[in-house]
Each structure stands twice: as C-alpha cells, then as structure tokens.
Amino acid sequence: MALQLGDTVPDFTQNSQLGPINLYDYAGDSWVVLFSHPADYTPVCTTELGEVSRLRSEWEKRNVKTIALSVDSAESHGGWICDINETQNTTVDYPILADEDKKVSDLYGMIHPNSLNNLTVRSVFIIDPSKKLRLQITYPASTGRNFQEILRVIDSLQLTDHHQVATPVNWKDGDDCVVVPSIPTEEARSKFPKGVTEIRPYLRMTPQPNR
Ligand code: BEZ
C-alpha cells in the first residue's frame, strides 16, 4: 500500500556517491527531505539539485538533511555533480542515492509507469525526527520543483508541532496564524497573549506565537 501521511517511513540502506547511506542512521534527530529525480545529466534536474545545494544554510537552520535519488549509478552521480557544481555555482555535498535496483523507489512508490517508464518521477517526502511522513508531493518530469515551498511547509510543520495553531493560505514565516478549532476563543485569548482576532467564531487569527 502507498505511504500515507503519519506513517512511519520504511528504513533502507542504499548506495550513493558518498557510499552506503542508511536512512535512519543518516537522519539521526534531524528532519529529512528525500526527493527523487528522473535521471542524471538532464536539464531540469541539474537546476533542482543545484538549488537544493545552494539552500544548504536554509536546511541547516531548520535541522533538515537532504537526500536525492535516481536509478542512475553512484559513478554517474559523481560525474554529474561536477557539472552541477560548475553550471549551478555551488558544491553539492549531500547524498544522491544510486537506486539502480529500484529498492527505495519501489518502497516509496517513486516510479509511476504511466507517467515515466522505469524512471523515478519528482517525488518529495518530508520526514520528521520520529521518522513519520509529514508531506509527500509528486511533480511531473517536465516541472522543476519550488524548494521555497518545501522550506515553507517545514516552517509550518515545525511551528504547528509546538503551538496550537495552523497556517492559512500562502502563509510564510512571520505571518499571522489560525487558532485551531479545538480551542474556544476565550481560552485562545489567554493562550495567545499577542491577541486573537475573531473574524467568525470558527475563524480566529493570532500573530505567530514564536516570533
Ligand atoms: C529534465 O530534468 O530536464 C527532464 C528529465 C526527464 C524528463 C524530462 C525532463
């Protein structure tokens, strides 16, 4: 059965250009963004993996480790990284899994044969430190991902894990948040000292609690 949000993700050990990577050991107490791309030496993928590398400090700020994956070999990844570094003005230092036997792709459902035969589509999995799946998105091969959106979701997940708020449409770090429906408004007013605006009894906004 396909992985669903809230599931404990399956562990694996797979080769990469940095040697074998065990997911759980590599993750430790960090969040993980595991993402697949269709193939090495392809243009959209080159820009994506370059961007993930350039965003290193943003991942670090959020205690996130990134892991890429395709069904190409570790040798192919190594050669391609030289191209990514040269053309995308960065130094890729995160692992790219060499899933030649499709072990991880099959475990995580990254191959969608009616879209792209035998190659992984652009899957993204956000995994929290307890190894629970918190988000999955699948993009078609022709569309490069927006990794700012992935960072935005991580900001939202990390915020809502610690405060009884949710984040509204187009929310970004620093914007007002939604008070979750389970908290009565009077209780919310004492819980959120920065103030609660009741627009409707079910629609209450509060400034971001951890700012
Ligand atoms: C690309 O990365 O450019 C790409 C890869 C597979 C299919 C289409 C585009």
Side-chain angles (χ1 to χ4, degrees):
M1 186 165 128
L3 273 175
Q4 297 188 324
L5 299 190
D7 289 353
T8 299
V9 297
D11 197 13
F12 59 77
T13 300
Q14 185 56 288
N15 198 23
S16 79
Q17 91 283 8
L18 303 176
I21 297 289
N22 172 263
L23 174 67
Y24 280 26
D25 289 346
Y26 181 76
D29 293 329
S30 297
W31 291 67
V32 169
V33 172
L34 170 65
F35 65 104
S36 57
H37 63 275
D40 295 356
Y41 295 102
T42 53
V44 175
C45 304
T46 300
T47 61
E48 285 188 326
L49 274 80
E51 175 68 357
V52 169
S53 176
R54 286 192 303 264
L55 289 171
R56 182 183 299 112
S57 64
E58 297 300 321
W59 306 120
E60 283 171 1
K61 240 191 264 175
R62 295 165 177 82
N63 186 31
V64 175
K65 292 181 177 171
T66 56
I67 308 177
L69 174 152
S70 78
V71 298
D72 300 289
S73 67
E75 292 68 36
S76 167
H77 292 337
W80 181 42
I81 283 170
C82 299
D83 277 4
I84 300 174
N85 292 347
E86 222 176 292
T87 62
Q88 306 302 306
N89 195 25
T90 190
T91 305
V92 171
D93 65 359
Y94 56 87
I96 308 177
L97 301 179
D99 198 36
E100 293 178 278
D101 59 5
K102 303 189 172 68
K103 180 170 68 182
V104 181
S105 313
D106 287 343
L107 259 180
Y108 280 74
M110 293 165 165
I111 295 180
H112 298 198
N114 293 326
S115 172
L116 205 55
N117 201 21
N118 277 322
L119 297 175
T120 44
V121 291
R122 297 187 198 281
S123 299
V124 184
F125 299 87
I126 297 179
I127 301 163
D128 73 15
S130 67
K131 314 294 180 291
K132 294 274 192 291
L133 180 63
R134 302 296 296 275
L135 166 137
Q136 59 177 320
I137 325 183
T138 311
Y139 285 68
S142 52
T143 305
R145 285 160 284 202
N146 182 340
F147 284 93
Q148 292 296 332
E149 169 62 0
I150 306 305
L151 288 166
R152 188 188 79 89
V153 175
I154 292 167
D155 284 341
S156 171
L157 288 168
Q158 293 184 345
L159 172 71
T160 59
D161 278 357
H162 295 106
H163 301 275
Q164 285 179 298
V165 292
T167 58
V169 62
N170 296 338
W171 175 89
K172 58 186 185 330
D173 192 34
D175 289 351
D176 286 353
C177 300
V178 166
V179 177
V180 293
S182 58
I183 307 181
T185 298
E186 277 325 297
E187 188 185 326
R189 291 194 196 286
S190 51
K191 205 176 231 335
F192 301 112
K194 291 179 186 168
V196 172
T197 306
E198 190 181 78
I199 300 163
R200 288 286 185 277
Y202 62 86
L203 175 58
R204 291 89 39 91
M205 306 299 294
T206 188
Q208 186 172 321
N210 63 346
R211 276 247 162 176

